[in-house]
Amino acid sequence: MQPTDDFDPVRVAKSLLRRRREGALATLMRDGGAPYCSLVNVASAPDGSPLLLISRLAVHTQNLLTDPRVSLMLDERAPGDPLQGARIMLMGEAVAVAAAELPALRSRYLAAHSGAEAYIDFKDFSLFRIVTSGAHLVAGFGRIVDLAASDYLTDLAGAEALLEIEAAAVAHMNADHLITLNSYATRLLGGDEAEWRCTGVDPEGLDLQAGPSVLRLTFPERVKNPAELRHMLKRMADIARATS
């Protein structure tokens, strides 16, 4: 089945990766290989790869430590018939986050799931990244397409300087620019008035969250360093102020 002309599967896939905070994780039972599905909380790495904080006591963790092959389904949770909303099934392997990446990805996960602060340092809990090899996207009738990982993951090449200051940039925005963040959410993205906070920045956009609600501010151009980020955030703020 081919997608219709007004359907942008890459945009929909990237939006789901950045906005969903829970998903259905499928693993293979370590005894016999039967399918096993469980509900997990999800955050995203700077490139959009899903991040999971899971306990070795859980069946799904025991399964993937034996066989890392997994699939993860993220869905739109649209009102009405759930089959009318978009959903994406990611295929790949669950890999423990390397020590060098742990501080940055730990911060990203906690920004998305602040309640995990109470148990993230328990000895049985670890952060895993799903290294995806492809995805199957379904977004309604005539909107079904298979995607390569390069279609929906964010290219981080050349953006090392931006990634180095991401945590500081997020903290600064949340400390000093909450009014601007709220303006992004309400005037540019159609969100309700709320205490919107920034949970992550990457070359393609800014993630905003207020309670269970998550929005994605996509930049019109890619940014690679702190100077370009400052310019882009000011540009988006000017656009928001000009929007009634």
Side-chain angles (χ1 to χ4, degrees), residues 143-161:
R143 297 184 170 191
I144 302 173
V145 64
D146 290 321
L147 299 169
S150 58
D151 292 328
Y152 54 81
L153 293 181
T154 298
D155 182 7
L156 301 180
E160 293 81 6

Side-chain angles (χ1 to χ4, degrees), residues 128-146:
F128 283 77
R129 178 205 296 265
I130 296 183
V131 180
T132 66
S133 56
H136 183 68
L137 176 69
V138 180
F141 182 76
R143 297 184 170 191
I144 302 173
V145 64
D146 290 321

Side-chain angles (χ1 to χ4, degrees), residues 10-56:
V10 170
R11 180 186 61 79
V12 175
K14 288 188 173 187
S15 177
L16 285 170
L17 281 174
R18 298 294 185 177
R19 293 187 300 106
R20 296 315 306 158
R21 291 292 184 252
E22 68 286 317
L25 177 69
T27 57
L28 298 172
M29 289 293 291
R30 56 180 179 162
D31 297 325
Y36 180 85
C37 191
S38 54
L39 180 66
V40 291
N41 283 336
V42 180
S44 63
D47 69 350
S49 296
L51 297 175
L52 312 177
L53 177 65
I54 49 180
S55 168
R56 289 190 299 275

Side-chain angles (χ1 to χ4, degrees), residues 20-232:
R20 296 315 306 158
R21 291 292 184 252
E22 68 286 317
L25 177 69
T27 57
L28 298 172
M29 289 293 291
R30 56 180 179 162
D31 297 325
Y36 180 85
C37 191
S38 54
L39 180 66
V40 291
N41 283 336
V42 180
S44 63
D47 69 350
S49 296
L51 297 175
L52 312 177
L53 177 65
I54 49 180
S55 168
R56 289 190 299 275
L57 302 178
V59 172
H60 52 232
T61 310
Q62 296 173 18
N63 290 342
L64 63 83
L65 288 174
T66 301
D67 187 335
R69 291 177 297 168
V70 299
S71 63
L72 177 72
M73 189 185 77
L74 306 174
D75 73 288
E76 190 70 63
R77 298 294 168 96
D81 184 351
L83 295 182
Q84 295 302 311
R87 60 266 192 198
I88 187 171
M89 193 280 289
L90 300 154
M91 298 161 284
E93 294 188 352
V95 178
V97 170
E101 293 185 294
L102 190 56
L105 297 187
R106 183 184 189 276
S107 294
R108 271 190 156 259
Y109 189 89
L110 289 176
H113 299 284
S114 59
E117 184 79 54
Y119 54 84
I120 193 170
D121 293 322
F122 286 5
K123 291 184 178 180
D124 59 299
F125 275 88
S126 298
L127 272 175
F128 283 77
R129 178 205 296 265
I130 296 183
V131 180
T132 66
S133 56
H136 183 68
L137 176 69
V138 180
F141 182 76
R143 297 184 170 191
I144 302 173
V145 64
D146 290 321
L147 299 169
S150 58
D151 292 328
Y152 54 81
L153 293 181
T154 298
D155 182 7
L156 301 180
E160 293 81 6
L162 177 67
L163 299 182
E164 286 179 4
I165 60 91
E166 184 205 4
V170 169
H172 172 66
M173 291 294 291
N174 289 333
D176 299 331
H177 297 287
L178 288 180
I179 293 176
T180 300
L181 294 178
N182 187 74
S183 180
Y184 292 158
T186 57
R187 295 191 174 192
L188 298 182
L189 302 173
D192 295 330
E193 291 281 350
E195 294 183 5
W196 292 98
R197 300 180 66 83
C198 178
T199 61
V201 178
D202 59 81
E204 293 184 342
L206 186 81
D207 298 322
L208 298 168
Q209 187 164 335
S213 300
V214 182
L215 295 173
R216 173 71 170 177
L217 179 66
T218 301
F219 298 150
E221 289 99 29
R222 192 169 181 269
V223 300
K224 304 182 298 296
N225 56 56
E228 291 180 359
L229 176 64
R230 285 192 295 270
H231 175 77
M232 180 60 71

